[in-house]
Amino acid sequence: MKRKEALYAILVEHAGTYCSGEVLAQQLGISRAAVWKAVQTLRTESNVPIQSHAKLGYCIPKDADLLLENAVRQRLQTKQLGNVLYHHTTVSSTNTVCKQLAAEGAAHGTVVMADGQSAGRGRMGRTFYSPVNTGLYFSVLLREHLVMPMAQQVTCCAAVAVAEAIEALYQLPAQIKWVNDVLYQKKKLCGILTEAAWNCEDGQMDYMVVGIGVNVRQTAVTMPSELHGIVSSLEESGCKQVNRSELLAEILNRFEVQIETLPQHGFLEAYRNRSCLTGERVIAWRGMEQLEGVVSGIAEDGALLLQLDSGEQVVLQSGEVTLHPQAASRR
Ligand code: BTN
């Protein structure tokens, strides 16, 4: 374990009480100056809220928002999701790590969570901005309930689980933008990247990795300028005292129920009720083809129903949709 990680583990274990620099130095086998340096690194690189007191030493406040395996486990009510849980301070991408674990035979329900991602990935080859300790980044490995064509609807289940968790914990009426964005007041709070691997021999799906990134405390000041006006965070939307461990457990609890009821389209009513595109004029891309029309609803299998100006009804199974500039400017 690296020095800063060992220090973090001790401070987490004693959260709410001060640990003197001398005792920490002894436990870690380093000098007090090195302890101070590691504290600074944790503060600046990992956003860990460490308080210091000249006489008492260092302390992580009891109510600090820490992503901790035990805190997640305490709140889990799942049968399988999260039974195996990996926590990293920083990884390239939790989806990438989770896919590696899947290739090595990891079990259905394995979860990889991280405080930050150095190469967070979004849909369509985009990057997902994932600064340390300001968001919740995790991936779930699914091996069961993957009968095609239902597999595509797993993303819808995840979106419903996230939106419902946010509403239950913070009373924020989150909406869903087809297919996989969770929004509040038209700004993105969460993105979902679902990836799958097929077995070439029998053509069956081998596994799916569902990666979920929730913006927790980014603000317009801390976000890259290209995200301004498009992306928001829970705290910027008024949610107080977000605890990422609690939020993760709440999402997993709900996600498992959604997946289990997927064959009966259990997600559908909640998904339709939260769909922010229904009735809106949009621009959609089907491959390279650009379409314009009004969204008439969500089909049973989660596809987007689009009424083109010609009167033709288009069923979009996948693709990208944005609000038409005229529809957006009405807001
Ligand atoms: C999107 O909005 O385009 C999807 C974003 C998905 C981000 C999550 S964060 C956890 C997981 N790891 C990744 O690299 N991506 C997903």
Side-chain angles (χ1 to χ4, degrees), residues 12-70:
V12 165
E13 195 188 330
H14 296 93
T17 43
Y18 275 88
C19 303
S20 80
E22 198 177 332
V23 168
L24 289 169
Q26 272 171 11
Q27 289 190 355
L28 295 168
I30 57 177
S31 67
R32 287 178 63 176
V35 170
W36 181 81
K37 219 172 143 194
V39 166
Q40 288 300 93
T41 310
L42 282 172
R43 281 176 175 155
T44 53
E45 286 179 12
S46 306
N47 266 328
V48 180
I50 302 176
Q51 296 172 338
S52 53
H53 185 281
K55 291 202 176 111
L56 300 175
Y58 305 101
C59 168
I60 292 182
K62 193 113 196 115
D63 59 358
D65 173 22
L66 305 174
L67 190 57
L68 298 170
E69 191 184 327
N70 282 343

Side-chain angles (χ1 to χ4, degrees), residues 93-95 117 120-123 128 138 188 191-193 211-213:
S93 150
T94 56
N95 265 34
Q117 299 182 115
R121 295 188 291 113
R123 291 180 75 223
F128 187 78
F138 68 99
K188 178 163 166 171
I192 301 166
L193 174 67
I212 299 179

Side-chain angles (χ1 to χ4, degrees), residues 28-198:
L28 295 168
I30 57 177
S31 67
R32 287 178 63 176
V35 170
W36 181 81
K37 219 172 143 194
V39 166
Q40 288 300 93
T41 310
L42 282 172
R43 281 176 175 155
T44 53
E45 286 179 12
S46 306
N47 266 328
V48 180
I50 302 176
Q51 296 172 338
S52 53
H53 185 281
K55 291 202 176 111
L56 300 175
Y58 305 101
C59 168
I60 292 182
K62 193 113 196 115
D63 59 358
D65 173 22
L66 305 174
L67 190 57
L68 298 170
E69 191 184 327
N70 282 343
V72 177
R73 278 198 195 291
Q74 276 166 16
R75 296 170 168 94
L76 274 182
Q77 293 160 6
T78 52
K79 292 179 224 126
Q80 291 172 296
L81 298 199
N83 280 357
V84 182
L85 200 56
Y86 293 94
H87 176 223
H88 298 270
T89 43
T90 306
V91 285
S92 53
S93 150
T94 56
N95 265 34
T96 306
V97 173
C98 199
K99 284 198 291 182
Q100 280 162 1
L101 290 168
E104 290 160 15
H108 172 79
T110 297
V111 171
V112 178
M113 58 182 182
D115 289 306
Q117 299 182 115
S118 56
R121 295 188 291 113
R123 291 180 75 223
M124 314 277 172
R126 290 188 284 255
T127 56
F128 187 78
Y129 180 61
S130 321
V132 181
N133 284 340
T134 60
L136 172 63
Y137 319 110
F138 68 99
S139 302
V140 186
L141 171 61
L142 301 179
R143 290 192 185 277
E144 299 172 13
H145 312 284
L146 295 183
V147 192
M148 284 295 279
M150 285 177 206
Q152 295 167 35
Q153 299 157 38
V154 168
T155 305
C156 299
C157 291
V160 168
V162 172
E164 287 187 346
I166 289 173
E167 181 144 358
L169 291 175
Y170 317 115
Q171 294 74 54
L172 198 73
Q175 290 195 299
I176 298 172
K177 175 176 170 284
W178 187 87
V179 55
N180 60 346
D181 286 345
V182 177
L183 316 185
Y184 176 63
Q185 293 185 339
K186 307 288 172 198
K187 289 191 189 165
K188 178 163 166 171
L189 295 176
C190 164
I192 301 166
L193 174 67
T194 305
E195 299 182 281
W198 273 266

Side-chain angles (χ1 to χ4, degrees), residues 228-270:
H228 288 181
I230 304 168
V231 169
S232 187
S233 65
L234 291 175
E235 289 201 349
E236 204 176 46
S237 307
C239 305
K240 301 265 183 310
Q241 299 214 307
V242 176
N243 177 314
R244 286 172 300 152
S245 301
E246 179 183 47
L247 178 58
L248 172 53
E250 187 74 28
I251 294 172
L252 291 177
N253 290 340
R254 291 170 183 274
F255 190 29
E256 187 169 272
V257 174
Q258 291 297 336
I259 293 170
E260 282 173 356
T261 57
L262 201 157
Q264 300 84 42
H265 303 292
F267 70 92
L268 197 59
E269 196 187 340

Side-chain angles (χ1 to χ4, degrees), residues 287-314:
M288 299 300 283
E289 187 189 6
Q290 185 177 320
L291 307 167
E292 268 189 48
V294 174
V295 173
S296 50
I298 306 288
E300 267 216 334
D301 62 357
L304 191 79
L305 302 173
L306 192 58
Q307 182 87 37
L308 302 187
D309 296 339
S310 62
E312 187 193 345
Q313 174 104 321
V314 170

